[in-house]
Amino acid sequence: MPAEPGSRRFPAWTRTTARPEGGGRAIGGHAPAPARQWPILLVLGGVALGLLLTAAGTFRAGIVLIGASLLAGGLLRWLLPSVGMLAVRSRFTDVITYVVLGTVIVLLALMAQPDPVLEFPFLEDVVRFSVR
């Protein structure tokens, strides 16, 4: 049963899928398709470059670049009104997801052995009491 024409109620039956907030084109329809999706291409390009660096042997720099690309995706999703295919869910959910994943990836890359850049002494105690 459809909702009343002037009603703010949701219809009883959903027939289509709602586009995510901010899921429109980042640039108008006059530009070619890749240019309209520049936010996700920027993030994917950074991730691809990070994977290449990781494969080339500089794993820490490559993984930090992957995390930084996700952080940049969260920043773009937060600041821009329309980000194309970078918008997956609501703005809040996308920003939280990109920022948390990017931060975790960067922190883990900086804590990786050998010669970690970041050291947390309490983690040694956690490992000692849980694994050993």
Side-chain angles (χ1 to χ4, degrees):
M1 169 164 56
E4 305 291 325
S7 173
R8 292 182 58 160
R9 282 180 102 173
F10 291 107
W13 300 98
T14 303
R15 300 201 191 289
T16 61
T17 305
R19 286 181 40 197
E21 171 194 345
R25 297 176 176 150
I27 297 178
H30 65 283
R36 290 191 305 253
Q37 297 298 331
W38 68 268
I40 195 160
L41 290 175
L42 181 72
V43 173
L44 290 176
V47 169
L49 184 61
L51 288 173
L52 284 173
L53 286 173
T54 303
T58 57
F59 80 95
R60 194 180 316 267
I63 295 174
V64 167
L65 183 59
I66 292 170
S69 297
L70 288 174
L71 290 171
L75 185 67
L76 288 172
R77 183 68 174 105
W78 183 36
L79 295 176
L80 298 178
S82 181
V83 290
M85 290 173 49
L86 191 61
V88 178
R89 295 166 196 86
S90 69
R91 183 178 309 271
F92 176 78
T93 305
D94 283 344
V95 169
I96 294 298
T97 303
Y98 289 133
V99 168
V100 167
L101 288 176
T103 303
V104 167
I105 289 172
V106 168
L107 286 177
L108 287 174
L110 295 177
M111 291 171 35
Q113 297 289 337
D115 302 322
V117 176
L118 288 179
E119 291 186 29
F120 295 106
F122 69 90
L123 289 178
E124 182 106 13
D125 297 333
V126 170
V127 171
R128 182 179 309 124
F129 289 118
S130 63
V131 178
R132 295 179 189 165

